[in-house]
Each structure stands twice: as structure tokens, then as C-alpha cells.
Amino acid sequence: MSWIPARAALALLGVQPQTLYANVSRGRIRAKPDPHDPRRSLYHRADIERLASRRTGRRSAASVARQAMEWGDPVLASGVSTVTRGRLWYRGRDAVELSGAWTLEQVAGLLWGADGIVFGPGRRRARGRSASLLSDALSALAARIDADPPSRGRARQVLIPEATRLLEDVMAAMLGAAPEPGAPVHRRMALCWQTPKAQDFLRRALVLMADHELNASTFATRVAVSTGTSLAAGLMAGLATLAGPLHGGSTLSVRELHAAAQRDGVGASLREYRARGYALPAFGHPLYPNGDPRAAALLARFKIGKVYAAVCQEGIALTGEQPNIDFALASICDSYKLPPKAPFVIFALARSVGWMAHAFEQIETGHLIRPRAQYTGVPVPPDGVLASDIGA
């Protein structure tokens, strides 16, 4: 991520300082304190360049689309959640504040526009010897893709019970049998993992991870259901996308960094990462220039191990960035000795709630998501010229 001082930002924009500050206050340009001089600020280069391109003339459709797909302008309307003023909001409610007392079930009610959401035990299918939690969950969804009706044209009041049953099946696949019928998801997790002391952490983490605007997995879900396919297919698209190392699998990089720090020492391992040209995993977030509030909320309340704490301190010093939610999940899960897959399971089960909220919203639009590609292949022949004639 590239951050530049005010002088460089003003030169690129060709404006007075007050205009720069106004764009920051309106959320058009991300800013953060300079780690070397807290009296000054740094500004996000990509935001500056995007605004500068608007000042030099009307942007082409290709330019708008390209920038929008890379942490740029919004590409579709949504009332589910947003990130603004450095905070995450669920339908106008601060997610960090909600995490103080709410459960995942209550957040589902808020995001789905329904009351009394309860997730039952679900139907757990037999798992093969080599199957993972992820493959078992995907298999459970795959079995329903052809059996469940298409989502197109169906009312939310009939989709919500169907979504509830889908999430119950995914939970059963990832957590196993429910040891206490009727228990909320966070308690069910704690009991399944035999760590009752982790209940409050799990509850807060599930609330904070329930949705995050239009991330990759949410967009995949919306694209899928925009074709009219079943909710099961939409949920499967989101879950498969979440599995990538740049998304829900990123906590593995945090654990790898922790292992290297234990083996080689914190300072040496982090400097080695930087020397090889690797970005330090789980520090900084493009949407939160002043730090990820979800991570801050968890790390302020729950204790992490000494090595993780040292990695956190050294990482901030090296990058000038705060740890993000991936760091918080990995480090706190380890402090409670939760299973290695716990961060991904928390992420997947929580975000499934958000995916279904976006699915309902997309279905109600009745629109197919079908963007255009910017062609960069072999040039197309001019009108009246056959491809076989070129070069003859």
C-alpha cells in the first residue's frame, strides 16, 4: 500500500490544502497519521490518483471499471453494510458496538430483516476419511444445488427459512453434532471445541465477521444468485471464494509468521519477510487507514501470547500499520488453544450470514450482474478485413 505526504498529494491534485482536507472529510481520500511524525498525515496514493484523473478529464468506462474493481468506487448499490469514517456499519449500526452484547443470530435478524432467527442442529452427513471441514461443507451444499428451487422471483419470507436450513447444514459440517440443542452459535462452537472460556471471544468475533461490504466472496455470492440459481449455489460460491489465501485463508500466513518468529526470533523473522519483498501479513487494511476497528476491539479485550505480542509490536514499528482482523483471529484463537481451523470456521460461519443478506438483496433487484472485460488480446481486424488477410 502506497502512502504519500501532503506535499506530494497536493502536487498530484493541483489543489489548495483545504480542498485536500475536504476530500478526506468526505471519505474520498484515505488518510492516516505519519508514524515518523504524528503531527503530519499521509494520504493514500491510489485515492489521490483517482481524483486527479477526474480533474484531467472525463474518465473512460474502462478506466472507471478497472479502478472500481481494485478497492475503488462502489460498483453496485447495497443497504446491508458499509465502511465509512473508519468504522464498519451494519444497516446503520456500528458493528463494534453491536459486538458488545449481540449474538450472530441477532445480527442475522438485523441483516436479513427478520425476527427470531435460530440455527438448529442441521443435518450432518458422513465424512470421508480424507475430507476436510471445507470439503464436507461444500459437499453438503452441492447436494442441495439441484434439489433446491431457483431463487429468482421468490419472496424473502420463503427464502429466509431456506437460508436458515442451509446455514444449519454448513454448521453441522464444520462443527459436528450440536452438544446442546438450541444453544447460540458461539456457545455451540465453544462446547464442540471444549473451550467454554472462549465463548465471549467467539460471540464477539462472529458478530464482527458477519459482513464486510462487497468483498470478493460476497461479490461471488451476488453474481451467482443474480443468475437465478439456488441459494445453495450462491452460498457455495461464497464459501469456495473465501477459501483463497488472500481472503479467508490469510490467517494461515499469520500462523506461519508466528512459527518463524518462534524459530528464528521476532526481529530476524520479520526482517527476513521484508528482505524477500513480502508484505507483512495481517498488518494494515485498505479500508481502514487508521487501523481495523474489528481487530482493535478484540485485541483490547483478549490476551494474546508473548510471541504474538512481540510480532504485533515489531510489525507496527516496521510497517507503520496496525494489525488487522486476520491477526486478531489467529492470535486469540491460539491463545485459547482452539483447533487450527478455528479462524476459518469462525470467518465462514459468520460471513455466511452476510452472504445470505446480500443474496436476498440481489434477488430482489431482479438484475443479472454481467460486467464487460477490457480486451487486451490480439487486435480485432478493421471492418471489411478478414483475419486471414492480415500479414498476407
Side-chain angles (χ1 to χ4, degrees), residues 136-225:
D136 203 32
L138 291 173
S139 296
L141 293 171
R144 295 188 56 165
I145 287 179
D146 288 335
D148 289 355
S151 60
R152 180 174 172 80
R154 299 172 66 205
R156 184 178 293 223
Q157 60 262 33
V158 297
L159 290 172
I160 287 176
E162 187 172 307
T164 301
R165 291 191 297 270
L166 282 171
L167 266 64
E168 289 171 349
D169 286 354
V170 172
M171 290 176 189
M174 290 190 160
L175 297 175
E180 185 179 287
V185 177
H186 65 274
R187 178 165 174 78
R188 177 174 175 178
M189 279 183 168
L191 294 176
C192 287
W193 292 335
Q194 299 180 351
T195 52
K197 292 182 178 180
Q199 280 190 73
D200 188 49
F201 158 65
L202 293 169
R203 181 189 59 76
R204 291 172 184 270
L206 287 166
V207 170
L208 292 170
M209 300 300 293
D211 199 56
H212 203 229
E213 208 191 63
L214 198 61
N215 52 69
S217 56
T218 299
F219 191 58
T221 298
R222 292 190 73 130
V223 169
V225 298

Side-chain angles (χ1 to χ4, degrees), residues 17-341:
Q18 54 266 36
T19 303
L20 171 63
Y21 305 147
N23 279 304
V24 171
S25 67
R26 292 169 184 160
R28 295 172 181 167
I29 297 174
R30 285 166 280 182
K32 69 172 187 176
D34 187 334
H36 304 295
D37 186 353
R39 297 170 299 175
R40 301 179 183 275
S41 295
L42 297 177
Y43 302 89
H44 198 270
R45 174 182 281 276
D47 294 345
I48 298 292
E49 291 176 345
R50 185 165 57 251
L51 282 181
S53 70
R54 292 175 180 174
R55 291 178 59 83
T56 57
R58 187 176 182 272
R59 295 183 297 170
S60 67
S63 172
V64 172
R66 183 173 60 253
Q67 292 178 1
M69 289 296 176
E70 299 175 359
W71 301 99
D73 294 334
V75 298
L76 56 78
S78 176
V80 179
S81 71
T82 188
V83 176
T84 187
R85 301 199 304 273
R87 311 289 291 182
L88 172 61
W89 306 84
Y90 296 159
R91 297 200 184 279
R93 305 286 297 273
D94 189 323
V96 171
E97 289 186 6
L98 293 181
S99 72
W102 280 38
T103 65
L104 181 63
E105 288 82 354
Q106 289 174 299
V107 172
L110 173 66
L111 298 184
W112 295 2
D115 295 324
I117 299 296
V118 176
F119 298 115
R123 297 167 294 177
R124 188 186 181 199
R125 292 169 174 81
R127 182 185 300 155
R129 285 186 178 180
S130 61
S132 67
L133 296 177
L134 175 61
S135 64
D136 203 32
L138 291 173
S139 296
L141 293 171
R144 295 188 56 165
I145 287 179
D146 288 335
D148 289 355
S151 60
R152 180 174 172 80
R154 299 172 66 205
R156 184 178 293 223
Q157 60 262 33
V158 297
L159 290 172
I160 287 176
E162 187 172 307
T164 301
R165 291 191 297 270
L166 282 171
L167 266 64
E168 289 171 349
D169 286 354
V170 172
M171 290 176 189
M174 290 190 160
L175 297 175
E180 185 179 287
V185 177
H186 65 274
R187 178 165 174 78
R188 177 174 175 178
M189 279 183 168
L191 294 176
C192 287
W193 292 335
Q194 299 180 351
T195 52
K197 292 182 178 180
Q199 280 190 73
D200 188 49
F201 158 65
L202 293 169
R203 181 189 59 76
R204 291 172 184 270
L206 287 166
V207 170
L208 292 170
M209 300 300 293
D211 199 56
H212 203 229
E213 208 191 63
L214 198 61
N215 52 69
S217 56
T218 299
F219 191 58
T221 298
R222 292 190 73 130
V223 169
V225 298
S226 80
T227 70
T229 191
S230 65
L231 286 181
L235 186 55
M236 191 173 183
L239 188 57
T241 306
L242 183 70
L246 297 182
H247 197 4
S250 58
T251 53
L252 295 176
S253 298
V254 181
R255 284 202 164 119
E256 290 171 0
L257 184 61
H258 178 262
Q262 283 185 310
R263 183 182 65 248
D264 305 323
V266 174
S269 61
L270 268 62
R271 286 192 295 272
E272 178 70 13
Y273 258 76
R274 302 290 286 179
R276 292 183 180 181
Y278 299 148
L280 207 58
F283 283 85
H285 194 293
L287 294 181
Y288 302 111
N290 296 317
D292 187 337
R294 302 167 299 170
L298 292 175
L299 291 171
R301 181 169 290 273
F302 302 101
K303 187 177 181 180
I304 60 177
K306 291 182 179 179
V307 176
Y308 274 116
V311 168
C312 182
Q313 184 176 359
E314 185 72 14
I316 294 171
L318 274 176
T319 66
E321 304 277 9
Q322 296 295 316
N324 63 31
I325 190 64
D326 298 318
F327 184 91
L329 280 182
S331 59
I332 300 173
C333 281
D334 277 3
S335 72
Y336 280 109
K337 296 181 171 56
L338 298 179
K341 284 289 186 180

